[in-house]
């Protein structure tokens, strides 16, 4: 694997950024400086983030592991080609396959965080034999985000109303487009829906003092491309609550249950072992997640909520566990690691615990 370094910021000492031309698009990749050999570990980030979030974990890995952290399309410094939401997460999967081909890697261990958990799981489904082990950190539900009920992911409304591009906070989109971390506030007291405040309240379990790496993480968030083809995507009107349904472009639509699911991992012939890592205080992916519009409706924050008997909170954890239990019953295996007092980002909040579990898993 031959990579040419490029200038990038904010990059920690020991991390190298490179641009890789693939058959689909140019991909920005982080590796450790000068490392070209070792057991390849693919690290896939989530929504409103980039590969920058993985730097500390990459540096902590042993020398015989070769970490490879790409920016997905729509994020970071990868070529900003729009996202076809009707393919679910498959645009990202095809980009990753093209990247692995360009790097000459036939097989990798794969770790995916949040939306990235769905990406690497679909990679195992779509590209048999390319994934040796799967590590899912706070992964998106196997039935997408929002508007499903029960462990089997039954769609509440046929048009998946309440999911997709219409669900984004317009002010957050505005600040991301302006690359404004704090909005009308300051780093000490940012605006409530600013990228920095979102990180502090949702990405990690709230702490008394910000992490020393906070500016780097916020910089990663601000690389998110905005617009109909990117974040959040387009939307359509709906006669169902809350009045909108998914469009066909952009990232939030690609995670709608109308297009996104990975429960078919149960049916694949080559079943990599799965490590599922999550925090017990995760407000983004949970059985009553803070970003689920049903939860916001129950709290009275969105008017006209039809009631929990019509639209209950999506049981994301129960759905993931049910699918992984079926996966194990069908000949696969999985381990669930739940970390107390941890939010949506275990590798940022409890790096040592995640690293230990990850190394045991890929061994």
């Amino acid at each position: 694997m031959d990579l040419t370094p490029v200038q990038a910021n904010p990059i920690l000492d020991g991390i190298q950024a490179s641009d890789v031309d693939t058959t689909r698009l140019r991909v920005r990749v982080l590796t450790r400086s000068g490392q070209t050999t070792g057991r390849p570990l693919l690290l896939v980030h989530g929504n409103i983030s980039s590969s920058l979030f993985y730097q500390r974990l990459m540096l902590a890995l042993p020398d015989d592991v070769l970490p490879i952290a790409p920016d997905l399309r729509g994020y970071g410094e990868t070529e900003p080609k729009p996202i076809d939401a009707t393919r679910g997460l498959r645009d990202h999967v095809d980009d990753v396959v093209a990247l692995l081909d360009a790097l000459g890697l036939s097989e990798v261990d794969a770790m995916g965080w949040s939306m990235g958990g769905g990406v690497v799981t679909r990679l195992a489904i779509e590209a048999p034999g390319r994934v040796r082990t799967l590590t899912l950190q706070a992964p998106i539900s196997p039935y997408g985000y929002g508007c499903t009920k029960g462990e089997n992911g039954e769609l509440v409304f046929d048009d998946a109303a309440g999911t997709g591009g219409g669900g984004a906070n317009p002010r957050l989109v505005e600040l991301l487009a302006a690359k404004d971390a704090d909005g009308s506030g300051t780093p000490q007291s940012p605006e409530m829906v600013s990228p920095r405040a979102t990180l502090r309240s949702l990405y990690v379990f709230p702490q008394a003092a910000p992490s020393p790496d906070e500016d780097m993480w916020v910089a990663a968030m601000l690389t998110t491309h905005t617009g109909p083809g990117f974040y959040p995507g387009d939307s359509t009107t709906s006669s169902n609550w809350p009045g909108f349904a998914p469009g066909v472009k952009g990232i939030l639509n690609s995670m709608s249950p109308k297009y996104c699911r990975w429960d078919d991992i149960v049916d694949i012939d080559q079943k990599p072992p799965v490590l599922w890592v999550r925090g017990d205080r995760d407000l983004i992916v949970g059985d009553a997640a803070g970003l689920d519009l049903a939860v916001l409706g129950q709290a009275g924050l969105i008017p006209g909520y039809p009631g929990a008997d019509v639209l209950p909170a999506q049981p994301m954890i129960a759905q993931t566990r049910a699918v992984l239990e079926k996966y194990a019953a069908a000949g696969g295996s999985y381990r669930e690691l739940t970390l107390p007092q941890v939010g949506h980002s275990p590798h940022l909040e409890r790096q040592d615990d995640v690293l230990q579990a990850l190394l045991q898993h890929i061994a």
Side-chain angles (χ1 to χ4, degrees), residues 29-290:
V29 175
L30 297 186
T31 56
R32 286 191 293 209
S33 300
Q35 184 179 6
T36 58
T37 61
R39 179 168 176 155
L41 172 63
L42 177 72
L43 300 167
V44 179
H45 66 80
N47 185 26
I48 314 186
S49 63
S50 80
S51 59
L52 296 175
F53 274 93
Y54 276 120
Q55 293 186 84
R56 294 288 182 197
L57 183 67
M58 294 169 67
L59 291 172
L61 290 164
D63 292 343
D64 59 350
V65 175
L66 173 65
I68 302 164
D71 289 340
L72 298 176
R73 71 165 60 199
Y75 304 94
E77 301 304 323
T78 284
E79 184 180 355
K81 288 191 175 182
I83 296 158
D84 179 357
T86 66
R87 304 189 69 227
L89 299 175
R90 289 178 177 86
D91 266 357
H92 297 308
V93 171
D94 289 349
D95 292 345
V96 169
V97 170
L99 172 65
L100 297 181
D101 289 344
L103 295 176
L105 300 173
S106 60
E107 186 180 44
V108 295
D109 297 293
M111 177 178 179
W113 170 37
S114 194
M115 177 189 75
V119 173
V120 297
T121 308
R122 283 240 60 90
L123 175 65
I125 297 167
E126 305 282 342
R130 301 299 291 266
V131 177
R132 183 185 295 113
T133 66
L134 267 177
T135 299
L136 308 180
Q137 179 180 252
I140 185 174
S141 162
Y143 303 104
Y145 203 93
C147 196
T148 63
K149 60 183 180 181
E151 290 185 354
N152 293 324
E154 178 186 351
L155 199 61
V156 175
F157 302 121
D158 289 342
D159 62 353
T163 69
N169 186 300
R171 178 59 172 162
L172 176 60
V173 177
E174 179 184 3
L175 293 175
L176 288 172
K179 311 239 180 260
D180 186 339
D182 306 308
S184 60
T186 66
Q188 291 71 39
S189 182
E191 185 179 338
M192 184 177 296
V193 297
S194 68
R196 190 183 303 276
T198 298
L199 185 144
R200 290 179 183 175
S201 62
L202 294 176
Y203 281 41
V204 297
F205 185 62
Q207 303 294 320
S211 166
D213 286 336
E214 182 180 271
D215 284 344
M216 179 175 69
W217 300 339
V218 173
M221 298 172 71
L222 295 179
T223 66
T224 302
H225 292 271
T226 58
F230 300 102
Y231 182 85
D234 59 352
S235 66
T236 59
T237 58
S238 173
S239 59
N240 297 310
W241 184 87
F244 67 84
V248 297
K249 298 182 291 185
I251 192 61
L252 291 190
N253 294 313
S254 76
M255 290 189 282
S256 163
K258 184 174 182 179
Y259 307 119
C260 175
R261 60 191 302 164
W262 54 264
D263 60 309
D264 50 334
I265 190 175
V266 171
D267 302 320
I268 63 176
D269 292 328
Q270 299 183 50
K271 290 181 166 64
V274 174
L275 171 65
W276 174 24
V277 181
R278 65 184 187 88
D280 71 346
R281 301 299 180 93
D282 191 339
L283 296 180
I284 295 180
V285 174
D287 281 342

Side-chain angles (χ1 to χ4, degrees), residues 230-359:
F230 300 102
Y231 182 85
D234 59 352
S235 66
T236 59
T237 58
S238 173
S239 59
N240 297 310
W241 184 87
F244 67 84
V248 297
K249 298 182 291 185
I251 192 61
L252 291 190
N253 294 313
S254 76
M255 290 189 282
S256 163
K258 184 174 182 179
Y259 307 119
C260 175
R261 60 191 302 164
W262 54 264
D263 60 309
D264 50 334
I265 190 175
V266 171
D267 302 320
I268 63 176
D269 292 328
Q270 299 183 50
K271 290 181 166 64
V274 174
L275 171 65
W276 174 24
V277 181
R278 65 184 187 88
D280 71 346
R281 301 299 180 93
D282 191 339
L283 296 180
I284 295 180
V285 174
D287 281 342
L291 297 184
D292 185 342
L293 294 196
V295 174
L296 297 176
Q298 288 179 29
L301 299 177
I302 303 177
Y305 175 61
D309 55 332
V310 175
L311 180 59
Q314 181 185 8
M316 303 180 193
I317 302 301
Q319 290 174 346
T320 298
R321 187 176 294 115
V323 167
L324 292 178
E325 286 288 341
K326 292 177 183 176
Y327 182 75
S333 65
Y334 87 96
R335 175 193 172 201
E336 178 180 347
L337 174 62
T338 304
L339 298 173
Q341 301 293 302
V342 170
H344 188 60
S345 311
H347 73 297
L348 306 180
E349 302 171 72
R350 295 273 289 276
Q351 176 181 288
D352 290 347
D353 292 315
V354 173
L355 181 64
Q356 180 182 19
L358 173 64
L359 293 178

